[in-house]
Amino acid sequence: MGMIFRFLCFASLCFMLSCSATVERPEKINGVSYVASRDSIDQQHIDPVVHLGANYAAIMPFGFVKELEHPEITFNSDRQWFGETEKGVKQYVEILHRNQIKVMLKPQIWVWRGEFTGFIKMAHEADWKLLENSYSDFILAYARVAQEVNVEIFCIGTELENFIDERPSYWKQLIVEVKKIFKGKLTYAANWNEYERTPFWDDLDYIGIDAYFPIDSKQSPTLEDTKKGWQKHKSEMKNYSVKHSKPILFTEFGYRSIDFAGRAPWTVDRVDKQVNLEAQAILTQALFEEFWHQDWFAGGFVWKWFHKHDAAGGKDDNRFTPQNKPAEEVIRTFYKKYDL
């Protein structure tokens, strides 16, 4: 009888510990940056996202400018890919929501020839005014779409540091106008070295960071060294989160499967060699181990995920996508551990 009692007590303790662990497990935004395609998508394109354990997807319609000093943005054009238009956004969101995957709508600017959007800067006051009007048209149009299809998060911009530095009052007013339309949560995607001078976090719900921090300069980083490389950045982000009483959200995170992937993770130049699948996997694992259990950290969106999963990534690909690489399994492991 005593043995049975002790067994029941032990079983009860294990059950309580299991329940406690479940209750205390942090809930995270486990997202993918879902790349727009030429065509509509269907269930076969969403199943791999579900299998990954993702509970969020960032949908990214684009507006285009001709050059860094050009003030007019072209968007929702019949010359754009379907997934980059208002109609495409609605179709993508509908099928994602049908699969219980929440959405961050993240309209972005593309400068022709791929120049960095943070360098957009007007030479004259009249051009700044034109840019402000054009950007408002762009963002408020997609704020209306976001409200219509009930997306969960709306991102008001991505890596536009010069624009924000030069016109902070415009951005404060833009947020007021967005809130008149969209009733969900708001963020902005600041570049990794921009977020600490972004002036409007108190008006948003998340401190959004595109997390391409330099953390390791080795050709093939180790997990231990990579985790050490995060400590300074991690401490600064935690303090910043506490200062503003806002959670940190990695609006983008990820690494190329290439040598020296942790040295300058923002690098996008095309090279035909130096594939390093292990480096991508280790860097990804270190990021998860350092951040996903932190209560001040909301989660993030891996850069990037293509709709044709079977044709994406793979052992010979040195680009950002983790698809069909060891990093995909790393992400799956953590996403399923920290599911909403």
Side-chain angles (χ1 to χ4, degrees), residues 210-224:
D210 287 355
Y212 303 112
F213 295 86
I215 54 172
D216 192 288
S217 61
K218 297 182 183 63
Q219 180 177 356
S220 293
T222 67
L223 182 64
E224 180 181 7

Side-chain angles (χ1 to χ4, degrees), residues 1 34 58 88 132 177 190 197 208 258:
M1 185 72 177
Y34 200 89
E132 290 175 350
E177 297 303 316
R197 67 177 194 274
I258 196 169

Side-chain angles (χ1 to χ4, degrees), residues 159-310:
E159 297 178 4
L160 293 168
E161 53 194 89
N162 272 345
F163 191 179
I164 292 170
D165 288 345
E166 297 287 336
R167 314 297 283 190
S169 60
Y170 161 76
W171 283 87
K172 297 281 281 188
Q173 184 58 37
L174 177 65
I175 293 169
V176 171
E177 297 303 316
V178 168
K179 287 182 176 181
K180 292 177 182 178
I181 298 169
F182 179 69
K183 305 308 177 184
K185 294 188 179 297
L186 297 175
T187 191
Y188 163 75
N191 199 21
W192 66 274
N193 59 354
E194 171 196 357
Y195 77 93
E196 288 182 291
R197 67 177 194 274
T198 303
F200 45 68
W201 294 126
D202 292 340
D203 300 318
L204 304 179
D205 297 287
Y206 298 103
I207 298 170
I209 302 174
D210 287 355
Y212 303 112
F213 295 86
I215 54 172
D216 192 288
S217 61
K218 297 182 183 63
Q219 180 177 356
S220 293
T222 67
L223 182 64
E224 180 181 7
D225 287 343
T226 302
K227 289 166 69 86
K228 286 180 181 177
W230 268 116
Q231 297 313 304
K232 178 177 182 292
H233 303 304
K234 179 180 171 183
S235 176
E236 290 172 349
M237 280 185 276
K238 179 180 179 179
N239 292 338
Y240 201 77
S241 174
V242 171
K243 174 183 176 181
H244 290 274
S245 299
K246 305 283 181 180
I248 301 289
L249 174 65
F250 283 174
T251 37
E252 294 176 21
F253 73 90
Y255 302 93
R256 294 180 63 173
S257 46
I258 196 169
D259 288 346
F260 305 102
R263 182 170 60 188
W266 58 86
T267 305
V268 297
D269 58 312
R270 290 190 175 274
V271 293
D272 296 326
K273 52 184 179 179
Q274 301 177 329
V275 175
N276 191 331
L277 302 177
E278 183 182 10
Q280 183 188 44
I282 286 174
L283 287 158
T284 302
Q285 180 180 345
L287 185 148
F288 277 111
E289 290 186 2
E290 288 300 316
F291 289 94
W292 245 251
H293 65 285
Q294 301 291 335
D295 58 6
W296 48 269
F297 180 75
F301 295 83
V302 65
W303 186 265
K304 52 190 174 176
W305 192 271
F306 295 93
H307 74 296
K308 291 184 177 179
H309 182 262
D310 290 345

Side-chain angles (χ1 to χ4, degrees), residues 64-69 110-116 268:
F64 297 87
V65 298
K66 292 181 179 179
E67 56 190 10
L68 293 171
E69 293 185 359
W110 179 263
V111 184
W112 289 357
R113 298 183 299 276
E115 295 180 85
F116 177 47
V268 297

